[in-house]
Amino acid sequence: MNCVGIDVSKGKSMIAVMRPLGEMVIPPFEVRHTDAELCELSRRLGDLDGETRIVMEATGNYHLPVASFLYDSGFYVSVVNSMLVHGYGNNSLRRAKTDKKNAIKLANYGLDHWLALPRYIPEDEVRPMLKTTYRQYQQCAKVQTMLKNNLISLLDTAFPDANRLFTSPIRADGSEKWVDFVSSFWHCECVCGLSEKAFTARYQKWCKKHGYNFSQDKALDIYASACGHFSVMPKTTTAKLLVDQAVAQLRAASAALAVLRNEMQSLAASLPECPVVMGMFGVGPALGPQLMAEIGDVRHFHSKKALVAFAGIDAPPYQSGQMEVRSRSISKRGSSALRRSLFLVMSAILRCSPAHEPVYQFMDRKRAEGKPYRVYIMASANKFLRIYYATVKQYLDSLEA
């Protein structure tokens, strides 16, 4: 049997072929991720005698073209978690690390775990695109938060507490009322410099122009708030330029975030498990696509425990001799994005407190036992994932029956 170890990097890979007892069939050599060189690699591996299996680490997006090409060529490809390979074969005092050594290490790992190597199966087009879209959504959300804090910081010197004047929800296009308001009334003197009647009339025109509901009481509250604050930043053209630029950047980020959110919902709606996931309590149009993006096809997990471990919310046992630790923290070795989504789902369940919901009943029972907040939240997330696995897997299996 031949085991091919592939150390993948950006644009190129190092290949080594090993057999049992340390026999090196092909010394390490480099292959670039081009069609011609990958075809030559496929031909070269196809000429080997005996069964051949290919092992590589999961390296973000770098391994995908190589794994997909070799899978389509008919090879047995296994993509393993890099943490499993990291501690393998470190029986040397020298801490050397090269691409050639890593390729040989992967090949030897494959030989030692020959029967347990999981087979790589490419996902359909929708799931990778949904996950990539969610990754972009996360990055855009971070940028939006940074830009929003920047605008609030500027307004603290020009129009303090302007961001707290309105409680209107965010629109579908990502716009917010307070951001639109400070675009026109960027300084407190823009309000208190007018009479109460003049500002009320101007505010009414502004509401009509931007499609917001007008309220006489709200206009008076805004006027009183503006007159009751003292601005540090003078009302100059430079100050207006700074606020306008901050508003424009925030609007662009919010609009991009809304587009990505709509695209996530559209992609998630095309997945077969979408109606089941969206029907679970605490999962809405925002969190549902996030869960489906991070979990993917639940049938790839051999059990519900594997899904819980993938989320990193399991507490591995720790025992040695007569010592046995019963209370341990979660491993956090899985997807941090999935843990965040689960935390938001648990927060929604806790806030709504549905007495008929099994997850809330479990959460309430743990809370009554005196468990700390994070403990019963993560324990409830564990239970939620187990229900998710059983429900979605049963539904997907029924579709294929």
Side-chain angles (χ1 to χ4, degrees):
M1 56 185 182
N2 311 294
C3 190
V4 183
I6 301 182
D7 183 63
V8 183
S9 58
K10 185 177 181 179
K12 64 178 183 178
S13 296
M14 187 64 66
I15 318 294
V17 183
M18 301 290 294
R19 283 179 181 166
L21 303 178
E23 179 186 353
M24 183 176 292
V25 181
I26 301 178
F29 64 98
E30 186 177 284
V31 171
R32 296 193 175 275
H33 297 172
T34 61
D35 186 66
E37 295 199 19
L38 289 178
C39 287
E40 176 61 22
L41 172 64
S42 176
R43 184 199 63 78
R44 194 170 179 181
L45 296 180
D47 293 339
L48 295 174
D49 296 330
E51 184 181 0
T52 301
R53 293 191 177 186
I54 301 171
V55 180
M56 65 184 71
E57 291 178 312
T59 54
N61 295 325
Y62 294 158
H63 73 279
L64 292 178
V66 183
S68 300
F69 183 88
L70 294 176
Y71 175 85
D72 293 337
S73 300
F75 291 100
Y76 188 106
V77 181
S78 180
V79 179
V80 298
N81 193 311
S82 57
M83 293 188 67
L84 298 176
V85 186
H86 178 71
Y88 171 79
N90 291 336
N91 56 348
S92 174
L93 296 178
R94 299 183 63 202
R95 300 180 63 86
K97 182 188 181 304
T98 64
D99 290 347
K100 293 182 179 181
K101 288 184 177 293
N102 288 345
I104 296 174
K105 181 179 181 179
L106 284 166
N108 288 326
Y109 175 88
L111 290 172
D112 288 348
H113 300 81
W114 184 268
L115 298 178
L117 289 176
R119 186 160 194 169
Y120 169 77
I121 300 177
E123 294 182 305
D124 54 31
E125 295 181 358
V126 177
R127 295 187 188 277
M129 289 305 302
L130 177 59
K131 189 170 185 177
T132 304
T133 306
Y134 178 46
R135 288 287 188 267
Q136 295 300 312
Y137 177 86
Q138 286 182 303
Q139 294 296 328
C140 192
K142 292 178 182 178
V143 173
Q144 185 205 36
T145 301
M146 179 186 66
L147 293 175
K148 187 176 292 187
N149 291 336
N150 176 60
L151 177 58
I152 293 174
S153 178
L154 280 175
L155 293 176
D156 284 342
T157 61
F159 197 154
D161 291 339
N163 59 304
R164 300 180 179 179
L165 294 175
F166 306 98
T167 57
S168 302
I170 302 175
R171 287 179 167 178
D173 60 354
S175 60
E176 298 183 63
K177 189 173 183 178
W178 73 271
V179 177
D180 294 338
F181 179 81
V182 298
S183 177
S184 300
F185 303 92
W186 58 275
H187 199 278
C188 61
E189 292 184 11
C190 295
V191 177
C192 60
L194 304 173
S195 65
E196 187 177 278
K197 183 177 180 181
F199 170 73
T200 302
R202 188 174 175 185
Y203 176 70
Q204 185 176 12
K205 292 181 180 179
W206 177 86
C207 289
K208 184 178 180 180
K209 178 181 178 181
H210 292 273
Y212 293 110
N213 295 327
F214 170 74
S215 172
Q216 180 80 18
D217 294 337
K218 174 57 71 173
L220 297 179
D221 290 343
I222 296 172
Y223 188 82
S225 176
C227 295
H229 285 97
F230 175 77
S231 61
V232 178
M233 183 182 294
K235 186 182 177 183
T236 62
T237 55
T238 302
K240 186 177 187 306
L241 174 67
L242 295 176
V243 175
D244 287 344
Q245 289 299 314
V247 168
Q249 293 171 9
L250 179 56
R251 280 176 169 173
S254 299
L257 201 64
V259 171
L260 291 174
R261 186 187 304 112
N262 293 335
E263 185 63 21
M264 284 172 54
Q265 294 173 358
S266 176
L267 291 172
S270 63
L271 295 177
E273 69 267 25
C274 182
V276 177
V277 176
M278 299 303 293
M280 301 180 72
F281 195 92
V283 178
L287 294 177
Q290 295 179 20
L291 288 175
M292 288 182 276
E294 288 301 317
I295 295 175
D297 192 343
V298 295
R299 292 170 295 186
H300 290 173
F301 299 96
H302 60 79
S303 67
K304 54 190 176 183
K305 291 183 178 180
L307 177 57
V308 172
F310 173 75
I313 58 175
D314 60 325
Y318 188 81
Q319 181 270 334
S320 178
Q322 297 181 354
M323 180 190 68
E324 183 174 357
V325 179
R326 295 186 177 275
S327 179
R328 295 201 67 197
S329 59
I330 59 177
S331 64
K332 292 187 178 181
R333 285 203 168 185
S335 170
S336 58
L338 178 56
R339 286 197 300 275
R340 176 185 177 276
S341 299
L342 289 171
F343 180 83
L344 294 176
V345 173
M346 294 305 104
S347 299
I349 293 177
L350 181 62
R351 183 170 59 252
C352 297
S353 303
H356 64 282
E357 179 62 31
V359 176
Y360 176 74
Q361 294 173 359
F362 177 82
M363 183 187 300
D364 192 45
R365 185 166 67 252
K366 292 299 177 182
R367 183 171 53 177
E369 293 175 1
K371 301 293 184 182
Y373 172 76
R374 292 186 179 180
V375 172
Y376 67 73
I377 285 292
M378 286 297 102
S380 303
N382 190 317
K383 184 174 182 63
F384 176 85
L385 270 188
R386 293 169 182 267
I387 295 175
Y388 181 100
Y389 177 84
T391 306
V392 175
K393 187 174 185 298
Q394 182 181 9
Y395 178 76
L396 293 178
D397 291 342
S398 66
L399 294 179
E400 296 182 353

